Amino acid sequence: MHYHDRSVEVLTQAVVRAAVARLRLDPPPLDGPRTPSELAAMAGQTITASGLGGLEALRLYEEVLAPACISVDHPRFLAFVPTAPTEAATLFDLVVGAGSIFGGSWLEGSGAVYAENQALRWLSDLAGLPTTAGGVFVPGGTMGNLSALVAARYRWRSHDSNRERLRGILIAGGGAHSSIASAARVMDVDLIKIPTDHRGRTSAEATRATVAALSPTERHRVFAVMATGGTTNVGVVDDLEAAADAAEELDVWFHVDCAYGGAALAAPSVRPLFQGIERCDSFVVDPHKWLFAPYDCCALIYREPLIAQAAHTQHAEYLDVLHNPADLEWNPSDFAVHLTRRARGLPFWFSLATYGTNRYSAAIEASITLARQSAELIRHHQHIELLLEPELSIVIFRRVGWTPAQYEAWSDKLLADGTAFVVPSAWNGETVLRFCFINPRTTFADVELIIDSLR
């Protein structure tokens, strides 16, 4: 293997041209999945003893593999929670990949860590946390939530040595993301979910009732209360003040999962919905969702980072040089369940630095406005019904009289035609449709096109 020769230069130029060409597509191709047998026939065996060569491998990617992937940044990709990275973020991701930066320690990546910390500072300020708050970028909300809850249990046990072998209890809102149940399984703790109201929101009344119903033994076992700042399915914000009150009453950690909805902290029109987040001990928000960064990027922020550092720092002889108590260096590897990490927050930082935070706020407000306009459009169609008034940027509605099979067939045809990607969801046991708006390039005309196809 040669680390540098003429073929590498040619390949590098080809990769950059391909990346720039895709950015110029407006919109990018929606594309769609292929079956394993189709891909086997089209791509064949790609890993061989002598190699295909870089240009041939790139051709296979461009002509066969990439078109078998749905473009999540397409303006009519409204399923799940899409992504819509800015041009600056996308291009800088190439720079980060080419830079060979290790983002786990200050010693090896101080410039990158400094920049990441400025992006984290902006997010911390949006939430109203103190200037001492800080954290790290991790791959996604699942890792962020798990890492925060590990720190929460660490603090709970450090307050009482008798808890070292005690099985903890996590109290979470009923609309919590599936990663919370996953974290409970990984940590081997019990999960108590607070019932939600008719909108899927965890209310103050339900929170107080759940805490009041705890036995003395259960109260002793609770190590954290968590709430959701924008549920993934319907986009509502739990009563964060009530969750903070419950955590304060129980003297435990308060965590907020804002993986999807946290971007709305930058939107003045809905910022009051998040009242109480300033009292949290930790929160997560995914820039790769509604903050226009490429995959994979979740910001995990702690009120008191030293607690997380004590919970997560790995100790080994060869790592001792990184942990000099006499200095104040910031090692991202000390704040989550990881050691090796890429500087995944840099594309987000570069985009923020390039465009400025005002443009971020405007772009987020545009998605909120589009959700409200879409709800109004749905109200004026007899064959569809709005199920919930949108709170952030998710719209839930039904096609009157349709069966689950009809929803699925409609969704499949929409994708096969290259029109849009909208998949059925469920609400109160019923198959429904769901729009999730996070892409500033999505227009009202796009919504009208999809709605018209439901006739």
Side-chain angles (χ1 to χ4, degrees):
M1 294 177 63
H2 297 284
Y3 282 93
H4 181 77
D5 58 27
R6 178 58 181 162
S7 64
V8 171
E9 291 181 7
V10 172
L11 178 59
T12 301
Q13 293 168 4
V15 169
V16 172
R17 282 197 302 271
V20 172
R22 188 185 186 283
L23 285 174
R24 289 174 178 166
L25 294 174
D26 190 17
L30 188 59
D31 295 325
R34 297 277 190 175
T35 66
S37 59
E38 287 174 330
L39 286 173
M42 297 169 70
Q45 181 59 42
T46 61
I47 307 300
T48 65
S50 57
L52 302 177
L55 291 177
E56 173 60 14
L58 181 62
R59 184 196 68 79
L60 275 175
Y61 173 77
E62 288 184 300
E63 297 180 8
V64 179
L65 304 178
C69 302
I70 300 174
S71 299
V72 294
D73 57 343
H74 191 283
R76 292 196 293 273
F77 184 120
L78 303 180
F80 312 122
V81 181
T83 190
T86 63
E87 290 185 1
T90 299
L91 289 173
F92 203 73
D93 204 23
L94 292 175
V95 175
V96 173
S100 296
I101 299 171
F102 177 73
S105 73
W106 184 270
L107 175 65
E108 296 159 284
S110 59
V113 176
Y114 175 86
E116 286 187 319
N117 284 351
Q118 291 216 333
L120 291 167
R121 179 73 263 151
W122 178 62
L123 295 171
S124 300
D125 289 343
L126 289 178
L129 293 187
T131 57
T132 51
V136 62
F137 289 100
V138 296
T142 295
M143 182 61 74
N145 286 326
L146 173 62
S147 298
L149 294 172
V150 166
R153 186 174 62 179
Y154 173 87
R155 184 177 72 172
W156 172 71
R157 284 179 168 165
S158 69
H159 287 176
D160 186 343
S161 59
N162 293 322
R163 295 171 175 166
E164 188 60 38
R165 296 181 181 275
L166 186 63
R167 183 183 175 93
I169 291 176
L170 166 64
I171 297 177
H177 188 264
S178 55
S179 64
I180 301 303
S182 176
R185 288 193 300 272
V186 170
M187 297 173 66
D188 194 26
V189 300
D190 291 326
L191 176 62
I192 294 177
K193 281 200 171 186
I194 306 169
T196 59
D197 61 17
H198 67 286
R199 290 184 53 81
R201 183 174 185 262
T202 302
S203 67
E205 295 76 12
T207 300
R208 286 193 290 265
T210 299
V211 172
L214 296 172
S215 69
T217 300
E218 288 173 328
R219 291 175 73 93
H220 184 62
R221 292 173 53 206
V222 175
F223 70 91
V225 174
M226 69 83 51
T228 304
T231 59
T232 311
N233 194 35
V234 297
V236 296
V237 181
D238 286 344
D239 189 321
L240 303 185
E241 287 280 20
D245 289 343
E248 183 176 314
E249 177 184 339
L250 295 166
D251 191 24
V252 298
W253 190 280
F254 174 36
H255 174 66
V256 184
D257 176 6
C258 293
Y260 149 67
L265 290 167
S269 68
V270 295
R271 179 58 179 83
L273 295 173
F274 294 85
Q275 187 65 32
I277 194 172
E278 70 281 357
R279 298 169 62 188
C280 76
D281 293 289
S282 59
F283 77 97
V284 300
V285 57
D286 287 355
H288 67 225
K289 287 188 168 72
W290 201 3
L291 285 168
F292 320 120
Y295 292 121
D296 50 8
C297 184
C298 167
L300 164 60
I301 298 172
Y302 301 97
R303 173 180 294 276
E304 299 180 60
L306 291 180
I307 297 174
Q309 186 180 50
H312 289 295
T313 297
Q314 297 186 33
H315 298 279
E317 292 83 356
Y318 76 102
L319 296 175
D320 286 347
V321 68
L322 303 177
H323 302 123
N324 182 354
D327 58 42
L328 299 176
E329 294 171 353
W330 188 276
N331 297 320
S333 60
D334 294 344
F335 299 101
V337 185
H338 61 194
L339 183 59
T340 301
R341 69 178 291 273
R342 71 190 300 264
R344 58 175 39 84
L346 282 184
F348 175 52
W349 161 80
F350 186 76
S351 184
L352 278 173
T354 298
Y355 299 115
T357 60
N358 287 344
R359 291 179 71 179
Y360 265 69
S361 294
I364 294 162
E365 289 281 17
S367 294
I368 295 170
T369 298
L370 183 58
R372 293 169 180 168
Q373 292 172 337
S374 300
E376 189 63 25
L377 175 66
I378 290 169
R379 268 191 289 267
H380 287 84
H381 282 71
Q382 292 184 346
H383 59 289
I384 51 180
E385 292 181 358
L386 184 69
L387 297 176
L388 289 174
E389 289 292 333
E391 197 164 273
L392 297 178
S393 69
I394 293 176
V395 181
I396 297 289
F397 59 103
R398 68 161 64 93
R399 170 60 167 86
V400 178
W402 270 14
T403 65
Q406 287 174 298
Y407 281 113
E408 186 173 348
W410 171 82
S411 176
D412 290 345
K413 185 178 188 306
L414 213 61
L415 179 59
D417 292 345
T419 302
F421 187 49
V422 182
V423 298
S425 186
W427 176 244
N428 291 335
E430 176 189 358
T431 301
V432 299
L433 289 174
R434 170 185 174 275
F435 290 156
C436 182
F437 299 112
I438 60 92
N439 193 332
R441 294 181 301 171
T442 305
T443 66
F444 187 67
D446 291 323
V447 179
E448 289 182 307
L449 177 68
I450 297 170
I451 292 296
D452 285 345
S453 73
L454 287 165
R455 293 184 186 276

